[in-house]
Amino acid sequence: MKNIMGIYAAPHGHWVGDGFPVRSLFNYDRLGAHHITPFLMLDYAGPHDFEPTNTPRGVGAHPHRGFETVTIVYDGEVAHRDSSGGGGVTGKGDVQWMTAGNGIVHEEFHSSAFAKRGGRFEVVQLWVNLRAADKSAPASYQSIRAADIPRVELAGNVGSLNVIAGTYAGVSGPADTFSPINVWDLRLVRNDAVTLIAPEGHTTMVVVLSGTVQLDGVEAVRDAELALFDRAESDIHLAADTDAKLLVLTGEPINEPVVGHGPFVMNSTEEIQESIRGFQAGHFGNTPATLSE
């Protein structure tokens, strides 16, 4: 069994723009980049019920460089557009995977249709670091539809696992990644259990979005809490006290310096300064004038 290094609760929430009420379950400043590499941050937006409006809520154009953002929509709709030409509406069960690479400008709002009808909104956004050699990659965008994400039914009818990235039980997810990572959307049935096999040597985290889960029979993890495991060994035993919704993340560590400043994550202060100058000079491009929904 993997040893549990720590269990962490989210701090008080905050708003990103006027459309994303988030709790930062982890970030590289709080937990230390060397502990969570190749992951950098995870914001859990919602669940939150929005009233109908004619003006979509969200966050306007802003830059990123040096990493990837992975947005998983559990409820609601997110409309995205960026300077690489990527964009569209990500709905329930869909995932958008944006590579900031050598620089991108993007914006994210609730879709017009969701804004007008209102309702439940629940989204996770994960930041994944890029190796130094990949930080100069051209910006790009992957739109991954729910229908294209393979679902694995777990033995004994204890739940199911959607493979967004990486592999599980020989089933591969649709996301293209720069380094070996697994992103598994896991659902467990109350009073049932499963043992997952995580690659030995990977950073491994279990995020409980809802429900209560016992880890290895010794620790309970509840709503909006995170468990971080040692990289040695492979097995993780999860027993659900309630129906539970979880996100399991594993990744091969990137053993390189991490220097971050707001929307930029690079390897040195000089590269951060270069990123700021590049954005100010317009090298990251602009978002398109319109978004087709």
Side-chain angles (χ1 to χ4, degrees):
M1 291 288 182
K2 280 186 171 291
N3 289 327
I4 301 166
M5 301 298 292
I7 294 174
Y8 305 93
H12 292 298
H14 63 280
W15 283 82
V16 176
D18 62 358
F20 304 95
V22 306
R23 290 169 284 177
S24 295
L25 270 63
F26 68 80
N27 62 55
Y28 60 94
D29 286 332
R30 185 155 58 98
L31 294 188
H34 60 290
H35 288 308
I36 64 173
T37 176
F39 307 107
L40 295 167
M41 186 190 80
L42 186 144
D43 276 353
Y44 181 27
H48 186 86
D49 292 312
F50 283 96
E51 294 295 323
T53 178
N54 289 321
T55 304
R57 304 173 177 94
V59 59
H62 58 282
H64 290 296
R65 187 186 179 201
F67 61 97
E68 301 185 285
T69 66
V70 181
T71 304
I72 304 168
V73 177
Y74 293 94
D75 241 327
E77 292 180 343
V78 176
H80 167 104
R81 59 184 176 183
D82 66 51
S83 56
S84 79
V89 173
T90 307
K92 186 171 182 176
D94 298 338
V95 176
Q96 57 166 261
W97 197 294
M98 186 187 78
T99 301
N102 62 4
I104 198 167
V105 176
H106 80 134
E107 60 183 55
E108 294 173 297
F109 286 87
H110 298 174
S111 72
S112 295
F114 176 75
K116 289 175 181 176
R117 70 175 181 265
R120 178 60 55 97
F121 187 82
E122 184 180 5
V123 169
V124 162
Q125 186 170 95
L126 171 70
W127 288 15
V128 182
N129 200 13
L130 292 170
R131 294 169 293 206
D134 297 320
K135 289 182 183 291
S136 59
S140 61
Y141 179 81
Q142 300 176 63
S143 178
I144 302 171
R145 296 302 176 192
D148 297 323
I149 299 173
R151 179 187 181 99
V152 178
E153 298 297 336
L154 301 175
N157 297 317
V158 303
S160 62
L161 185 150
N162 294 325
V163 186
I164 296 170
T167 61
Y168 179 81
V171 177
S172 297
D176 290 326
T177 68
F178 281 83
S179 61
I181 65 173
N182 292 298
V183 179
W184 300 334
D185 170 23
L186 174 64
R187 311 299 169 96
L188 291 178
V189 175
R190 177 178 182 170
N191 295 329
D192 273 319
V194 67
T195 297
L196 300 179
I197 308 300
E200 187 166 0
H202 273 209
T203 297
T204 300
M205 292 183 276
V206 172
V207 178
V208 177
L209 301 175
S210 65
T212 301
V213 175
Q214 301 289 331
L215 300 179
D216 298 341
V218 296
E219 295 280 2
V221 187
R222 299 176 175 84
D223 293 9
E225 290 186 343
L226 159 78
L228 175 66
F229 292 84
D230 188 89
R231 293 185 183 122
E233 306 300 333
S234 298
D235 292 5
I236 303 170
H237 186 72
L238 306 171
D241 293 342
T242 65
D243 288 347
K245 177 168 60 183
L246 308 95
L247 194 61
V248 180
L249 308 172
T250 90
E252 182 179 277
I254 298 174
N255 295 315
E256 298 175 352
V258 173
V259 179
H261 179 78
F264 309 124
V265 181
M266 303 300 291
N267 297 104
S268 69
T269 301
E270 291 75 19
E271 289 174 326
I272 292 293
Q273 293 169 346
E274 176 195 335
S275 299
I276 294 170
R277 291 193 298 268
F279 168 63
Q280 292 172 339
H283 295 163
F284 293 6
N286 297 294
T287 57
T290 60
L291 169 67
S292 174
E293 296 190 20

